[in-house]
């Protein structure tokens, strides 16, 4: 966990005690909450905190964590396992808590960018659940809804419906209460305070795309003003406000048969990278809408995900 700066201007940064690698073994099947570390680790030579997560008891078929996410304050990390169980780790107060005890398999996880305690979990059955990490309960509604929108929910203010398949991508607007959820059949935008759906894109968007072409990835621009969707043979940019199409990027004819699998936007919102099969990377300018560079990762390894990592002088691209 890196240095965390307070959201309030003028305050000095808060540093967690420097600690060496610590293994965290918990048994959430028996305990709802508890201490993360029972003994203090020895100080390390550099600032920061590094730990591994593990479960003392493994269920049949495995119990691996499939997603982790930090909240906007960087003082809490949540982990999602393949059985849909969600555990939060409050690093500042040395406490862990089981937020969700399981059910449908877990797929994706994302904290709100505006509320440090609000967490969204995508499940294999197509539902997206909203959890309150502070209350260890489902998020409640803050505004009323009409009967038509109420029918989209299984529980009051806790479950977001509409996807026939699992939402493989969750992303939150950096400054507004807006959640992006993307599955193979649907991209949906939700007003996350009221948990009200404000826009959708169905598979086959844009109109020129093949009706059976699924969404394989999606991303929000750093400003939150645009949504980028990745289809096997195109990256499409949409306005967040009305989901109107603004640009479509495709690979050149020499690589038109290579399927894309991921899209990401750099921190300035100026460039998008599409990752494809065989280690292919395509760099587009979001301003000029031109393909700036096309390269292949040495070895031709398949890329399942690409993400920009912030750096003081120059951003770097991480590939999985």
């Amino acid at each position: 966990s890196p240095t965390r700066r307070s959201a309030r201007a003028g305050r000095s940064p808060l540093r967690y005690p420097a600690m060496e690698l610590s293994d965290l073994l918990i048994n959430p099947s028996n305990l709802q909450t508890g201490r993360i570390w029972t003994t203090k680790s020895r100080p390390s030579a550099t600032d920061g905190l590094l730990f591994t997560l593990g479960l003392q008891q493994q269920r049949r078929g495995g119990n691996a964590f499939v997603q982790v996410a930090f909240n906007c304050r960087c003082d809490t990390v949540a982990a999602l396992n393949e059985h849909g169980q969600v555990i939060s780790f409050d690093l500042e107060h040395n406490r862990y808590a089981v937020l969700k005890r399981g059910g449908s398999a877990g797929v994706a996880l994302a904290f709100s960018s505006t509320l440090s305690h609000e967490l969204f979990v995508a499940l294999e059955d197509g539902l997206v659940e909203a959890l309150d990490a502070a209350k260890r309960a489902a998020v409640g509604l803050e505004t009323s809804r009409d009967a038509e929108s109420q029918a989209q929910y299984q529980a009051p203010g806790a479950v977001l419906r509409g996807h026939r398949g699992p939402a493989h991508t969750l992303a939150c607007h950096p400054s507004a209460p807006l959640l992006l959820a993307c599955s193979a059949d649907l991209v949906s935008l939700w007003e996350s305070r009221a948990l009200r759906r404000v826009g959708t894109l169905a598979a086959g968007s844009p109109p020129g795309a093949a009706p059976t072409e699924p969404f394989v990835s999606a991303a929000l621009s750093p400003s939150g003003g645009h949504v980028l969707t990745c289809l096997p043979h195109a990256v499409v940019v949409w306005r967040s406000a009305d989901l109107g199409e603004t640009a479509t990027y495709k690979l050149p004819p020499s690589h038109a048969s290579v399927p894309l699998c991921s899209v990401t936007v750099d921190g300035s919102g100026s460039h998008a990278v599409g990752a494809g099969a065989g280690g292919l990377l395509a760099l587009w300018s979001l301003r000029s809408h031109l393909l700036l560079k096309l390269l292949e990762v040495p070895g031709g390894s398949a890329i399942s995900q690409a993400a920009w990592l912030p750096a003081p002088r120059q951003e770097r691209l991480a590939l999985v």
Side-chain angles (χ1 to χ4, degrees):
S1 172
T3 297
R4 173 172 66 85
R5 294 187 180 275
S6 170
R8 289 179 289 181
R11 290 187 58 179
S12 60
L14 171 65
R15 292 181 181 271
Y16 294 115
M19 304 177 72
E20 289 185 340
L21 176 66
S22 299
D23 290 332
L24 171 61
L25 294 175
I26 62 175
N27 188 354
S29 61
N30 295 331
L31 298 176
Q32 291 287 338
T33 185
R35 296 177 61 188
I36 298 178
W37 294 280
T38 56
T39 58
K40 186 176 180 180
S41 299
R42 290 183 300 140
S44 64
T46 58
D47 290 341
L49 185 66
L50 180 64
F51 60 88
T52 58
L53 305 180
L55 298 176
Q56 290 178 341
Q57 293 183 354
Q58 300 290 323
R59 299 182 184 182
R60 178 177 295 181
N63 200 18
F65 289 118
V66 296
Q67 287 276 320
V68 295
F70 272 96
N71 69 348
C72 58
R73 290 167 50 89
C74 291
D75 59 8
T76 300
V77 61
L80 168 69
N81 69 19
E82 56 193 8
H83 296 287
Q85 188 178 58
V86 181
I87 307 170
S88 70
F89 301 90
D90 186 336
L91 304 180
E92 188 170 357
H93 299 98
N94 191 29
R95 303 292 296 180
Y96 76 84
V98 179
L99 305 182
K100 184 177 182 297
R101 297 195 63 81
S104 181
V107 178
L109 189 69
F111 268 102
S112 166
S113 300
T114 56
L115 295 175
S116 62
H117 55 83
E118 191 173 62
L119 176 68
F120 300 96
V121 183
L123 304 175
E124 186 68 34
D125 58 12
L127 299 180
V128 177
E129 296 189 2
L131 303 176
D132 189 319
K135 298 179 180 179
R136 304 201 302 275
V139 172
L141 289 179
E142 295 183 3
T143 61
S144 61
R145 295 192 299 265
D146 55 32
E148 181 179 356
S149 59
Q150 178 69 31
Q152 299 173 3
Y153 300 86
Q154 181 184 48
V159 180
L160 285 62
R161 291 179 174 273
H163 296 267
R164 291 194 297 269
H168 48 66
T169 304
L170 294 177
C172 292
H173 191 287
S175 59
L178 193 67
L179 170 70
L180 167 71
C182 176
S183 62
D185 65 292
L186 188 72
V187 172
S188 57
L189 285 174
W190 299 82
E191 204 287 333
S192 58
R193 294 285 176 85
L195 298 183
R196 177 176 55 88
R197 192 165 56 192
V198 296
T200 59
L201 293 168
S205 302
T212 57
E213 246 189 2
F215 296 113
V216 295
S217 177
L220 279 169
S221 64
S223 67
H226 292 88
V227 174
L228 284 80
T229 57
C230 180
L231 293 88
H233 298 99
V235 171
V236 187
V237 184
W238 315 81
R239 290 185 300 271
S240 299
D242 58 3
L243 291 180
E245 181 186 351
T246 63
T248 298
Y249 306 135
K250 294 186 177 182
L251 296 174
S254 59
H255 293 78
S257 62
V258 178
L260 297 169
C261 57
S262 178
V263 64
T264 184
V265 187
D266 70 348
S268 67
S270 302
H271 301 92
V273 169
L280 181 70
L281 290 174
L283 176 67
W284 288 283
S285 168
L286 295 178
R287 294 175 179 172
S288 66
H289 306 302
L290 297 176
L291 177 65
L292 302 180
K293 187 173 293 187
L294 193 67
L295 57 90
E296 295 182 9
V297 175
S301 300
I303 301 172
S304 60
Q305 187 177 1
W308 289 95
L309 302 178
R313 296 183 179 178
Q314 185 177 11
E315 289 186 301
R316 293 177 172 85
L317 187 66
L319 305 175
V320 178

